[in-house]
Amino acid sequence: MNSLGGVWVDASQVRRRPSEELVTQLYGQFKGALFAHVLGLTNHDRQWTEDVVQETLIRAWQNAETLVRDPRMLRGWLLTVARRIVIDGWRTRQTRPQEVELTSTDAVHSADETEQRLSIMVITDVIGRLGEEHRAAIYETYVRGRTIREAAHVLGIPEGTVKSRVYNAMKILRRALREWN
C-alpha cells in the first residue's frame, strides 16, 4: 500500500507510464544477459558493470517511445547500447592518467621538517635577543666547539664568566622552547 495524495492505494492498482513499464519489463527480462555481457566487456569489474547496466536501462527509458517492442530487437538494442557505453568508458580511462593505489612500500617517506624549522626559528629569535656577551659565549662553545678554557682565552675573559654566560643563555633558550611547545 502506498499513499497517493493522502489516500492509501494498493500498488498494483497504480497505473504506470508506458516508459516505466518498459524499463521494468526490460530489467526483468534482460538483466541477467545484459549483466553477463557487460561483465566480460569490463574485465569483470562488477561496479563498472552495474553502472553500465543502469545507464543502459536509463537510455531505454529515455527512448521508450521509439523502441521496437520485439524482444529480439530489444535485446540487440540493449547489448549495443551497453557495448557503446563500455567503449566510451574505455576511451575516457585512456585519456585520463591511470589511477593506482600506493602501497606502503610505494609511498615516499619524507621527514616532516616543520618542527625542526620552527625550533630553529625560535632559537634564532631568542639568540637574537640575547646580549652580545651571551651570544659570543654560545658561539665559541656550541658553534665553534671550543672548550670553556679555549673560549675564555679567545674572548679574553675568565673561565667562570664564560660558564655563567653559557649557563644563563642556555636557561633562556630552554625557557623559550618550553613556552613555544
Side-chain angles (χ1 to χ4, degrees):
M1 296 286 231
N2 290 328
S3 174
L4 290 177
V7 178
W8 288 95
V9 179
D10 184 1
S12 64
Q13 296 176 351
V14 176
R15 181 129 172 98
R16 294 187 193 185
R17 291 184 291 190
S19 59
E20 291 173 2
E21 289 175 4
L22 175 65
V23 170
T24 303
Q25 174 192 355
L26 292 175
Y27 185 78
Q29 191 173 358
F30 298 111
K31 179 191 178 239
L34 185 59
F35 190 86
H37 177 70
V38 173
L39 192 60
L41 296 173
T42 62
N43 287 336
H44 301 282
D45 183 334
R46 294 187 70 78
Q47 181 65 46
W48 187 17
T49 298
E50 290 172 7
D51 292 344
V52 170
V53 169
Q54 182 179 9
E55 179 63 26
T56 302
L57 292 173
I58 289 171
R59 291 186 186 181
W61 174 72
Q62 291 170 335
N63 294 292
E65 301 299 322
T66 60
L67 286 177
V68 177
R69 306 293 179 174
D70 179 8
R72 291 174 300 188
M73 298 293 286
L74 285 173
R75 183 177 189 280
W77 187 88
L78 290 170
L79 294 177
T80 300
V81 168
R83 188 179 80 248
R84 288 179 180 164
I85 293 170
V86 171
I87 289 169
D88 288 345
W90 283 116
R91 286 179 180 157
T92 300
R93 288 178 182 206
Q94 288 174 349
T95 59
R96 286 186 1 191
Q98 184 177 5
E99 298 174 5
V100 294
E101 265 187 57
L102 291 178
T103 61
S104 61
T105 58
D106 294 333
V108 177
H109 295 288
S110 62
D112 184 12
E113 297 176 0
T114 306
E115 290 289 325
Q116 183 181 6
R117 290 177 192 240
L118 288 173
S119 295
I120 290 170
M121 289 172 58
V122 169
I123 290 169
T124 302
D125 181 56
V126 173
I127 289 175
R129 288 187 271 151
L130 290 175
E132 180 60 40
E133 62 278 351
H134 288 95
R135 277 197 305 272
I138 293 289
Y139 178 77
E140 293 298 329
T141 56
Y142 283 94
V143 177
R144 303 281 307 229
R146 294 192 166 132
T147 64
I148 295 293
R149 177 173 286 160
E150 293 169 338
H153 178 72
V154 168
L155 295 172
I157 56 175
E159 291 177 31
T161 305
V162 172
K163 285 181 184 179
S164 67
R165 288 180 182 173
V166 168
Y167 174 80
N168 289 329
M170 292 305 295
K171 193 164 87 173
I172 292 168
L173 285 169
R174 281 190 205 100
R175 187 180 321 125
L177 286 173
R178 269 196 308 272
E179 290 173 3
W180 176 72
N181 286 327

